[in-house]
């Protein structure tokens, strides 16, 4: 991103119930207006503008990383790969208090966006309009030892996109011919019900159900050689969730839950069609999952708090990326197989003395394939680990509150090794980053101000921040060395 990011915030609450928020961050502009005409109705209006340019360096192969991790991918230089976005969002949120135990909330918005992306094969131009909204009703009832919190709601949103592609002749110079000229309409409707039942002071039972309908329609305006690539992909799924928590004492809660997941292909994945320029990928299916979780949270005293959870899930139709010989510089998506995932998540917080807080979190993840039918990687991959999934992750932080509203903190983030692709033939080593921060607050009259400075990777460690399972080996995304962030927050 070009330019130096800057953050500022101003807020004021008057006795008449009006509130105004503004924010600026780099090329983003944000404004929020709150109107509270009565104690029963509250409205919030949000306006957001974004102008963003990203020069895409692409990933590197292993030889390039060893030579110099700061190198850009040669394809990025040859074809001047970039993304350019202009976006405006306007919306309103609100809450209506019907009675002491009933309330309704809603959100309505619309988003306009212009997007240009240069990749080696083409330059894509997109104009998008995305309206949407949701509404929710909450009802609380109680009778003796039985308490109930019922929620019902729905989501409605859509995206209307017109897109055309021209060939990239090099350096993002566009050819005169059209590779694709199409319109895509995506709509989503969903309804959900949740019931949280309190059985006395010790048990809570949670029941939930949701139904999703997602429709994708494409209109081919180009019809190359008389072939009409227009089509439709519709995905429907009902999912459910059940949970129970038990609080034998005020300082400890035991809980368990079971739920289902549903992940349909994104517009980008559907639009990456291996059979032609334009049109939908007709081979993709939604990924589905189910999972269970159980754990405990609470405190051992007034200064030690914990949350420990075990989880296990099974997935079907996991996605993979692949390439084809006819278009070797493009990425396509397919359903590769099934996986089993289990692990442990922990979070601890300790206040050993006044004004000192120690926080730690540890995650163990065991993610492996139980079935794999790949378009790219031959052989039996059952039992192999999922790519880009480190088995161990650790976070630790210490914060010290000093006199005169001065806060100093130091922490680390550490990851174990992660495999590059499903073959598990190559991997990236683990790494740990040292971070620190300092903030100073003060008050002048009715104004509160906070000045902060933060540093990340202070030891300038060289590491791979992210990997992609690209068949051409351009999988490695080197992480930045030292980073410094600063800003000021004001409130009136």
């Amino acid at each position: 991103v070009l330019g130096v990011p800057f953050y500022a915030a101003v807020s004021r609450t008057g006795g008449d119930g009006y509130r105004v928020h503004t924010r600026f961050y780099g090329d983003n502009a944000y404004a929020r207006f709150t109107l509270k005409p009565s104690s029963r109705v509250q409205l919030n209006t949000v306006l957001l503008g974004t102008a963003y340019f990203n020069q895409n360096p692409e990933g590197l192969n292993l030889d390039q990383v060893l030579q110099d991790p700061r190198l850009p991918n040669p394809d990025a230089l040859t074809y001047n790969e970039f993304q350019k976005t202009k976006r405006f969002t306007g919306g309103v949120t609100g809450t209506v208090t019907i009675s002491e135990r009933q309330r309704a909330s809603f959100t309505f918005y619309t988003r306009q966006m212009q997007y240009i992306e240069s990749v080696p094969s083409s330059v894509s131009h997109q104009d998008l309009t995305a309206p949407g909204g949701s509404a929710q009703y909450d009802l609380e009832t109680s009778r003796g030892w039985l308490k109930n919190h019922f929620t019902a709601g729905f989501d409605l949103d859509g995206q209307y996109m017109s897109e055309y592609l021209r060939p990239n002749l090099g350096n993002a110079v566009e050819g005169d011919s059209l590779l694709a000229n199409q319109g895509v309409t995506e709509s989503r409707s969903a309804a959900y019900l949740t019931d949280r039942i309190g059985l006395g002071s010790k048990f809570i039972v949670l029941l939930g159900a949701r139904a999703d309908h997602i429709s994708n329609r494409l209109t081919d305006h180009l019809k190359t050689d008389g072939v009409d690539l227009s089509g439709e992909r519709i995905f429907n799924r009902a999912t459910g969730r059940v949970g129970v928590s038990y609080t034998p004492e005020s300082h400890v809660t035991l809980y368990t839950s079971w739920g289902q997941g549903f992940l349909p292909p994104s517009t980008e994945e559907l639009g990456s069609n291996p059979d032609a320029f334009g049109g939908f990928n007709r081979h993709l299916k939604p990924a589905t999952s189910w999972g269970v979780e159980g754990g405990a949270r609470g405190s051992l005293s007034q200064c030690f708090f914990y949350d420990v959870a075990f989880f296990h899930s099974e997935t079907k139709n996991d996605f993979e990326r692949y390439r084809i010989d006819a278009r070797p510089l493009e990425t396509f998506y397919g359903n590769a197989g099934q996986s089993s995932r289990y692990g442990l998540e922990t979070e601890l917080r300790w206040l050993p003395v006044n004004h000192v807080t120690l926080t730690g979190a540890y995650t163990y993840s065991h993610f492996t394939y139980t079935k794999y039918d790949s378009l790219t990687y031959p052989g039996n991959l059952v039992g192999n680990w999922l790519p880009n999934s480190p088995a161990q992750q650790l976070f630790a932080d210490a914060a010290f509150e000093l006199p005169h509203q001065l806060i100093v903190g130091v922490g680390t983030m550490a990851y174990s090794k992660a495999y590059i692709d499903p073959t598990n033939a190559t991997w990236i080593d683990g790494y740990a980053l040292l971070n620190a921060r300092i903030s100073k607050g003060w008050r002048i009259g009715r104004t509160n101000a906070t000045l902060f400075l933060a540093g990340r990777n202070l030891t300038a460690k060289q590491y791979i921040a992210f990997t992609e399972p690209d068949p051409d080996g351009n999988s490695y995304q080197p992480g930045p060395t030292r980073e410094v962030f600063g800003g000021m927050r004001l409130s009136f």
Side-chain angles (χ1 to χ4, degrees):
V1 184
L2 302 180
V4 178
F6 173 75
Y7 174 89
V10 180
S11 64
R12 175 168 181 166
T13 303
D16 54 5
Y18 291 85
R19 180 180 295 122
V20 177
H21 295 272
T22 59
R23 180 177 70 180
F24 303 93
Y25 189 87
D27 294 325
N28 300 329
Y30 173 96
R32 176 182 178 130
F33 309 93
T34 300
L35 171 64
K36 192 176 181 182
S38 72
S39 61
R40 293 184 177 271
V41 180
Q42 179 172 325
L43 299 177
N44 302 274
T45 301
V46 177
L47 304 175
L48 173 65
T50 302
Y52 181 79
F53 179 82
N54 175 46
Q55 196 74 54
N56 184 8
E58 279 287 7
L60 302 177
N61 61 40
L62 185 56
D63 291 337
Q64 293 164 338
V65 170
L66 296 176
Q67 178 185 352
D68 185 352
R70 297 172 297 178
L71 288 173
N73 185 302
D75 290 339
L77 290 174
T78 303
Y79 297 100
N80 187 20
E81 297 188 51
F82 65 82
Q83 295 100 19
K84 185 177 182 180
T85 303
K86 294 181 180 179
R87 181 167 54 221
F88 173 79
T89 301
V92 59
T93 67
T95 301
V96 179
T97 303
I98 303 171
S99 68
E100 183 180 353
R101 297 188 174 186
Q102 296 183 79
R103 61 183 177 275
S105 57
F106 58 86
T107 299
F108 299 105
Y109 66 89
T110 186
R111 181 179 296 115
Q112 299 284 338
M113 186 172 77
Q114 292 181 328
Y115 178 73
I116 302 175
E117 180 177 13
S118 169
V119 299
S121 61
S122 62
V123 180
S124 171
H125 297 257
Q126 301 177 11
D127 288 301
L128 299 97
T129 301
S134 63
Q136 179 173 302
Y137 169 76
D138 291 271
L139 171 65
E140 296 180 7
T141 60
S142 62
R143 179 174 297 178
W145 57 273
L146 181 64
K147 297 182 179 180
N148 187 266
H149 187 142
F150 175 77
T151 299
F154 66 86
D155 301 321
L156 293 173
D157 50 41
Q159 179 174 274
Y160 310 96
M161 178 183 70
S162 61
E163 177 187 32
Y164 67 89
L165 282 73
R166 296 189 185 275
N168 187 343
L169 303 181
N171 201 33
V173 176
E174 301 179 41
D176 295 330
S177 61
L178 281 172
L179 299 176
N181 183 11
Q182 58 194 18
V184 177
T185 300
E186 182 181 42
S187 61
R188 178 177 68 101
S189 58
Y192 58 89
L193 300 172
T194 302
D195 201 10
R196 189 171 73 242
I197 306 169
L199 306 175
S201 61
K202 297 183 181 297
F203 284 94
I204 295 178
V205 177
L206 178 68
L207 305 173
R210 180 182 177 91
D212 285 272
H213 172 82
I214 300 173
S215 171
N216 300 270
R217 294 181 174 86
L218 185 145
T219 302
D220 182 8
H221 301 300
L222 190 59
K223 299 180 177 64
T224 303
D225 298 326
V227 178
D228 189 350
L229 297 176
S230 301
E232 182 178 46
R233 297 297 310 274
I234 295 177
F235 307 107
N236 298 302
R237 188 74 175 182
T239 55
R241 182 186 177 193
V242 179
V244 178
S245 68
Y246 171 56
T247 306
E249 302 291 342
S250 60
H251 59 273
V252 60
T253 297
L254 307 177
Y255 58 90
T256 185
S257 65
W258 174 91
Q260 297 172 301
F262 168 55
L263 182 64
S266 68
T267 305
E268 172 68 20
E269 291 165 340
L270 287 175
S272 300
N273 184 10
D275 301 324
F277 282 102
F280 277 153
N281 184 335
R282 308 295 303 180
H283 313 289
L284 278 173
K285 302 176 182 179
T288 59
S289 65
W290 64 265
V292 294
E293 180 182 16
R297 57 176 173 263
S299 62
L300 299 180
S301 64
Q302 295 298 317
C303 62
F304 188 85
F305 306 87
Y306 64 90
D307 193 336
V308 179
F310 299 89
F311 64 89
H312 173 75
S313 66
E314 300 284 335
T315 71
K316 293 183 178 181
N317 295 321
D318 285 353
F319 297 115
E320 74 163 352
R321 300 158 60 128
Y322 67 94
R323 301 280 176 95
I324 58 177
D325 294 337
R327 293 153 67 181
L329 297 180
E330 297 181 66
T331 299
F332 304 100
Y333 304 88
N335 298 105
Q338 302 174 186
S339 66
S340 175
R341 315 181 189 202
Y342 66 85
L344 167 71
E345 295 179 332
T346 64
E347 181 182 6
L348 305 174
R349 184 160 52 93
W350 183 31
L351 288 67
V353 295
N354 289 339
H355 310 299
V356 175
T357 301
L358 304 179
T359 305
Y362 171 77
T363 299
Y364 173 75
S365 304
H366 190 276
F367 299 168
T368 58
Y369 288 107
T370 57
K371 181 181 178 181
Y372 204 91
D373 299 315
S374 174
L375 297 172
T376 301
Y377 306 104
N380 182 12
L381 303 181
V382 172
N384 284 16
W385 288 69
L386 272 65
N388 205 38
S389 301
Q392 302 185 71
Q393 302 178 53
L394 175 68
F395 167 80
D397 182 84
F400 306 90
E401 298 180 28
L402 304 177
H404 309 294
Q405 300 186 59
L406 185 65
I407 299 177
V408 177
V410 62
T412 185
M413 298 174 61
Y415 303 86
S416 63
K417 76 174 185 179
Y419 291 103
I420 303 297
D421 59 50
T423 67
N424 291 182
T426 57
W427 59 88
I428 60 171
D429 293 327
Y431 61 90
L433 305 181
L434 178 64
N435 311 316
R437 66 191 184 280
I438 184 171
S439 67
K440 174 68 172 72
W442 69 90
R443 182 179 179 86
I444 304 175
R446 299 180 61 181
T447 302
N448 291 309
T450 302
L451 182 68
F452 63 89
L453 183 69
R456 188 172 185 270
N457 192 13
L458 297 181
T459 60
K461 181 177 182 59
Q462 291 191 358
Y463 66 102
I464 303 298
F466 180 73
T467 63
E468 300 175 88
D470 278 344
D472 63 1
N474 295 332
S475 306
Y476 302 86
Q477 304 279 353
T481 52
R482 291 186 183 94
E483 296 179 280
V484 178
F485 308 91
M488 177 179 287
R489 182 170 60 249
L490 301 173
S491 60
F492 302 91

